[in-house]
Amino acid sequence: MNERPTTLESPVGPRVRLDGREVDYFCGTSYFCLHGHPQVIAAACDAVRAVGLGSATSLRTPAHAALDRELRAFLAVESATVVPSGYLAPLVLLQALGPDHDVVLLDGAAHYGEVDAAAANGKPVVRFQHLDADDLERQMARHLHRGQRPLVLTDGVFPSTGAVAPLADYAAALARRGDGLLCVDDAHAFGVLGPRGRGSLEHHGIDGPTAYACGTLSKAFGAAGGFLPGSTELRQRIRSRSRVLAGASAPSAPAAAAAAAALRVLGAHPEMRQALWDHAVHVRTALRNLGFDLSHSVVPIVFVAGRPGLDLRRIHARLAEEGIVTLYVPPRGYSDAPNVESLRIAVFSEHTKDQLDRLVDALRRAL
């Protein structure tokens, strides 16, 4: 899908070594560069020295206990169930909520993990138009029979475009029906959105027993694995209704220790989130001044869509020649990518303003 170098030879950060070359890095999902943070790396090394990769059983290590504490503290929840990967988290969530819904309403551009979770759920699946609350209502009216309970499943922030799902509108649509569940795959929003980094539900001011979210530790939180925050009751439902925890290994002890350390760092330094928002706004404003149609958003995924007369593959290559690495996405190249070519630019809290301005200037000269 992409012609950029693919072998990473340094920790992820604003500047990395790819295939022997030092470059400014505007790819991926390590929005706070915690994967390469010294405290995170040290925690992982300490864990592997203490217990190796893990227990090879269902026993928890001190690293897993620490991760449980840090997740509950950061997200202010009663429980946070850790699962092997963020990809599996929607599957576990839908299994836990199995008896509580009859039909799944799925965003038309939902991530592959949500699509697979819905397909494995054993309930009817209805797709609604991407980001369209009106169509969600139409599909519910068309496909739900009397007494049936809907479950709406969507990304909170979409991975290619950075689009923010209109969750408040979805919640209002469910409220008008009188019953239903809102489930959000918040892989790209946890740590990033919300005043305290608690994701899309916090960002939209949605709370209550019928709104759920799941996430990943592999993006903002600097490690690997997935998680499902919520009540003690949700944790009990997961344990009684999902076989994933019984049949798959937990994230390794070093990964758990790394995630716990990353959560401590991010919790202690909320200015990192403000820097991320400021950088996202700075780049978006500068690119709008170059004529690109970009939303006013603090999401650090900056989506540059192709248009007639604009050769984004050539521009991507020109940027790479100048040591600036972005992601070229072909038409329909990922779950939510539209049917036009695009550049996906990931902005980090740890980029310098000089790096951001160098990116914008290089894009201007490449047009």
Side-chain angles (χ1 to χ4, degrees), residues 112-355:
Y112 308 129
E114 297 158 57
V115 174
D116 288 350
N121 190 41
K123 305 289 178 72
V125 179
V126 176
R127 304 295 288 261
F128 63 93
Q129 292 179 24
H130 182 41
L131 303 173
D132 191 334
D134 291 337
D135 190 57
L136 170 62
E137 290 210 74
R138 286 192 293 268
Q139 298 305 327
M140 287 195 292
R142 184 176 303 164
H143 294 282
L144 286 169
H145 304 303
R146 183 182 297 274
Q148 286 190 317
R149 194 180 196 197
L151 182 153
V152 176
L153 181 60
T154 179
D155 302 60
V157 171
F158 284 81
S160 295
T161 65
V164 178
L167 298 185
D169 294 339
Y170 296 169
L174 288 170
R176 283 190 286 273
R177 283 197 57 85
D179 198 15
L181 304 174
L182 177 62
C183 294
V184 184
D185 182 347
D186 236 8
H188 294 268
F190 274 124
V192 171
L193 287 187
R196 290 156 295 192
R198 294 173 183 166
S200 295
L201 296 180
E202 183 187 44
H203 175 74
H204 292 280
I206 298 172
D207 194 10
T210 60
Y212 300 88
C214 59
T216 181
L217 300 168
S218 67
K219 295 178 173 48
F221 295 144
F227 63 94
L228 296 94
S231 64
T232 302
E233 181 187 7
L234 175 63
R235 187 184 188 95
Q236 292 170 343
R237 289 183 187 183
I238 292 170
R239 293 192 176 280
S240 64
R241 296 173 181 173
S242 176
R243 292 180 291 187
V244 170
L245 294 183
S249 298
S252 69
L263 284 158
R264 286 193 293 271
V265 170
L266 196 55
H269 296 283
E271 70 274 9
M272 295 174 70
R273 190 159 43 255
Q274 186 63 56
L276 184 71
W277 297 342
D278 290 345
H279 290 177
V281 170
H282 178 79
V283 170
R284 288 172 180 274
T285 300
L287 294 186
R288 277 197 299 272
N289 291 337
L290 294 182
F292 292 107
D293 183 16
L294 296 175
S295 63
H296 294 267
S297 171
V298 297
V299 171
I301 302 167
V302 181
F303 172 73
V304 177
R307 60 177 187 246
L310 190 66
D311 186 347
L312 287 182
R313 187 182 290 274
R314 179 189 61 81
I315 291 173
H316 168 261
R318 283 281 303 276
L319 294 177
E321 289 172 3
E322 296 195 32
I324 299 172
V325 177
T326 59
L327 182 68
Y328 172 81
V329 184
R332 303 292 186 196
Y334 200 64
S335 56
D336 65 310
N339 195 27
V340 295
E341 65 174 0
S342 60
L343 287 184
R344 181 189 186 273
I345 299 169
V347 178
F348 301 155
S349 63
E350 305 311 291
H351 281 126
T352 66
K353 187 174 182 298
D354 284 346
Q355 283 181 299

Side-chain angles (χ1 to χ4, degrees), residues 49-71:
R49 280 191 290 265
V51 297
L53 293 181
S55 65
T57 69
S58 59
L59 294 174
R60 286 206 310 177
T61 68
H64 292 93
L67 175 57
D68 180 72
R69 290 193 302 271
E70 295 298 337
L71 274 170

